[in-house]
Amino acid sequence: MCDESKPVDGEVNDNKYFSKTAATDAEVTFEHRSAPPETRLYKKRWVIVFLFSLYSLCNSYQWIQYGIINNIFMRFYGVDSFTIDWMSMIYMLTYIPLIFPVALLLDKKGLRVIALVAAALNCTGTWIKVASARPDLFPVTFLGQFTCSVAQVFILGMPSRIASVWFGSEEVSTACSIGVFGNQLGIAIGFLVPPILVPNVDDLDELAAHIRVMFYITAGVATFLFVLVVIVFQERPDIPPTHAQAAARRISPENYSYTASIHRLLRNKAFILLVITYGLNVGCFYAVSTLLNRMIIEHYPGEEVNAGRIGLTIVIAGMVGSLICGIWLDRSKTYKQTTLAVYLMSLVGMVLYAFTLDLGHLWVVFITAGTLGFFMTGYLPLGFEFAVELTFPESEGTSSGLLNCSAQVFGIIFTICQGKIMDSFNTLAGNLFLCAFLLIGTIITACIKSDLRRQLANQQALAAGPVEASPAQAFEAKL
């Protein structure tokens, strides 16, 4: 769609800067120009990021809608708990082989095409589920969940790209947090709503009616959001929002090599360490979320609704943490220090949750779970933004994709291993298993070198004058 929105008053910046030209293997060079590129911020940027958050919400809600009422779906479809666990883990498994072709598609086709595919797949999956509300149709409901899991691949890597393409340098972390916020809110609703819409009743016909209502509501919302994406979602603003983005636009698609970009990322030691630590942290979150119903029901039988509320508490606290961390990063630019502090507190929160789960007081579990969620879920946008800083000017979709791929791999491993440990021992042993890996992640995070390349590019731009020599050489030396 063409951009009919107007620039925000007072947000036009005719800064003196340099432009980036294409080079072999997409290496960045800069050329001094007598007419510096204009940068603008458009009001529509908020519409774009909030619309993305909404369809991300609709998709992430479905990730946990089976797991949070695990025992109910086990009885309805006549399957075991591990099979229902796979209704969540399929989101993780699907992501791993598809992320690289989707990241390439994002680089080649842009944001709008990816958004359209994501919303269309999500909508299709919800309507397949509508047809699966019968005890003998588990394969159909699994197909619907699989379709939604494919849609997720087109969603998870988008927040940092939308933030970079649409937002100013002083608000990119906040914008990324808002993008992640939608995913977290969807998980929160996934914890809260299914136990309310699908009560644990004995009559299977009545249970099928409740499940069908839940599926119809989801399908209606997904269809509405797909129509909105078709009408509203725009590829990018006509005029870039930042100097770094203006420079990034100078890379010709013909001169960009996705394979070379992957190779450069894999040679970036700091980024590889971040990939590992991000996977460990988010993988633990995936395991806790998937197995939460089993953990709560073991110690508090019949408390399916409160299990959902505890999951809601984890995610709502994490949403607050995400926004606070995003605002803090935009103001302080202390990426490594903030990431390390939040990682350490995630470990502390996990230890508290592990040792208070079996005390017999649900209000204590609510408090410790909220503490865990504030830091563990709040870490998500920190990882995205730190990765963009460490890898600039590489594609945000590629770096985010590698982070999420790591998270899915560890998520599957941790979910299966923790589930088996819980079956063989108890929930405390399973949670201590996760604590051990969070400790390892904290130590590795402390070893990451803080090489903020995007900040350097913007600082050099601000320092450049219309008659001065180009600052490119200093930045290229950093790369």
Side-chain angles (χ1 to χ4, degrees):
M1 295 177 61
C2 59
D3 185 7
E4 297 178 356
S5 58
K6 301 297 182 184
V8 180
D9 293 340
E11 291 188 315
V12 177
N13 303 308
D14 294 319
N15 294 299
K16 296 165 179 150
Y17 189 48
F18 48 88
S19 65
K20 183 164 68 175
T21 59
T24 303
D25 262 355
E27 290 184 1
V28 183
T29 60
F30 293 88
E31 168 185 271
H32 177 68
R33 295 174 63 91
S34 58
E38 180 185 15
T39 61
R40 290 184 181 178
L41 295 177
Y42 291 84
K43 289 180 180 179
K44 192 173 183 179
R45 69 193 189 278
W46 298 108
V47 176
I48 298 296
V49 74
F50 278 112
L51 178 56
F52 165 78
S53 293
L54 287 175
Y55 74 77
S56 175
L57 176 156
C58 184
N59 180 264
S60 61
Y61 157 79
Q62 297 174 80
W63 167 59
I64 204 64
Q65 72 176 157
Y66 293 91
I68 196 56
I69 47 176
N70 181 293
N71 55 321
I72 296 176
F73 276 112
M74 283 170 57
R75 184 165 60 84
F76 182 73
Y77 286 116
V79 296
D80 60 19
S81 62
F82 187 66
T83 302
I84 298 299
D85 289 344
W86 269 108
M87 299 298 281
S88 296
M89 289 192 290
I90 190 62
Y91 264 60
M92 307 175 206
L93 183 64
T94 305
Y95 190 90
I96 297 168
L98 293 181
I99 179 52
F100 295 108
V102 170
L104 177 60
L105 187 64
L106 175 61
D107 288 333
K108 296 296 184 181
K109 299 298 183 180
L111 287 172
R112 178 170 167 80
V113 169
I114 297 299
L116 287 171
V117 174
L121 285 171
N122 190 58
C123 181
T124 302
T126 60
W127 284 106
I128 293 174
K129 291 181 187 180
V130 167
S132 72
R134 274 177 26 197
D136 60 330
L137 293 179
F138 180 77
V140 177
T141 208
F142 188 85
L143 175 62
Q145 187 76 341
F146 171 76
T147 305
C148 292
S149 74
V150 176
Q152 176 221 211
V153 185
F154 292 81
I155 293 173
L156 284 187
M158 292 272 279
S160 56
R161 171 63 72 91
I162 290 174
S164 294
V165 169
W166 280 92
F167 287 82
S169 60
E170 298 302 315
E171 56 190 18
V172 286
S173 296
T174 302
C176 184
S177 296
I178 293 172
V180 174
F181 181 92
N183 183 273
Q184 296 170 335
L185 182 57
I187 297 172
I189 296 173
F191 279 123
L192 178 66
V193 173
I196 296 174
L197 293 180
V198 186
N200 193 2
V201 296
D202 294 329
D203 184 79
L204 286 184
D205 290 334
E206 183 183 353
L207 186 56
H210 289 303
I211 292 173
R212 191 174 293 110
V213 167
M214 179 176 70
F215 287 159
Y216 265 117
I217 292 173
T218 308
V221 172
T223 302
F224 174 70
L225 291 174
F226 172 63
V227 173
L228 277 184
V229 170
V230 172
I231 296 172
V232 175
F233 203 93
Q234 182 182 321
E235 172 65 29
R236 67 182 188 181
D238 290 338
I239 299 174
T242 64
H243 301 304
Q245 189 59 214
R249 289 192 183 187
R250 295 289 176 174
I251 294 182
S252 170
E254 292 75 17
N255 290 323
Y256 176 77
S257 170
Y258 179 73
T259 303
S261 177
I262 292 289
H263 287 165
R264 284 193 296 273
L265 290 175
L266 295 178
R267 291 196 301 268
N268 186 329
K269 181 180 177 181
F271 175 67
I272 293 301
L273 292 178
L274 181 62
V275 167
I276 295 171
T277 58
Y278 185 90
L280 291 172
N281 189 299
V282 181
C284 288
F285 169 70
Y286 288 163
V288 170
S289 299
T290 302
L291 301 173
L292 183 63
N293 174 270
R294 292 174 58 185
M295 285 189 269
I296 299 301
I297 295 302
E298 178 177 332
H299 295 291
Y300 307 92
E303 294 288 355
E304 290 91 354
V305 173
N306 272 322
R309 290 171 180 166
I310 290 170
L312 174 70
T313 302
I314 290 174
V315 181
I316 293 295
M319 289 159 55
V320 175
S322 294
L323 289 176
I324 292 175
C325 289
I327 294 170
W328 171 254
L329 282 185
D330 279 331
R331 294 185 178 182
S332 70
K333 308 301 182 186
T334 54
Y335 288 87
K336 177 180 176 177
Q337 297 91 323
T338 304
T339 301
L340 180 58
V342 171
Y343 212 114
L344 177 61
M345 292 308 298
S346 296
L347 170 60
V348 173
M350 190 69 215
V351 172
L352 290 175
Y353 173 77
F355 283 101
T356 58
L357 185 59
D358 61 351
L359 293 182
H361 302 291
L362 269 174
W363 65 269
V364 175
V365 180
F366 273 95
I367 292 174
T368 55
T371 303
L372 172 64
F374 182 87
F375 295 105
M376 182 174 281
T377 315
Y379 173 81
L380 297 176
L382 290 179
F384 281 148
E385 282 301 290
F386 196 15
V388 173
E389 290 293 337
L390 293 174
T391 61
F392 182 84
E394 306 296 347
S395 167
E396 298 88 352
T398 306
S399 60
S400 298
L402 288 171
L403 289 182
N404 282 318
C405 187
S406 174
Q408 312 310 315
V409 171
F410 282 112
I412 292 173
I413 294 171
F414 289 166
T415 301
I416 294 175
C417 291
Q418 186 183 13
K420 296 299 182 183
I421 292 172
M422 288 167 55
D423 292 338
S424 301
F425 299 96
N426 52 41
T427 54
L428 177 60
N431 287 323
L432 289 178
F433 165 78
L434 298 183
C435 290
F437 284 97
L438 285 174
L439 175 61
I440 294 171
T442 302
I443 295 171
I444 297 175
T445 299
C447 300
I448 298 176
K449 180 182 179 182
S450 184
D451 181 15
L452 307 182
R453 299 179 176 187
R454 183 173 62 179
Q455 293 304 312
L456 177 63
N458 281 316
Q459 290 167 6
Q460 288 178 339
L462 293 174
V467 295
E468 295 172 346
S470 166
Q473 289 77 15
F475 185 59
E476 285 180 324
K478 291 288 292 180
L479 293 177

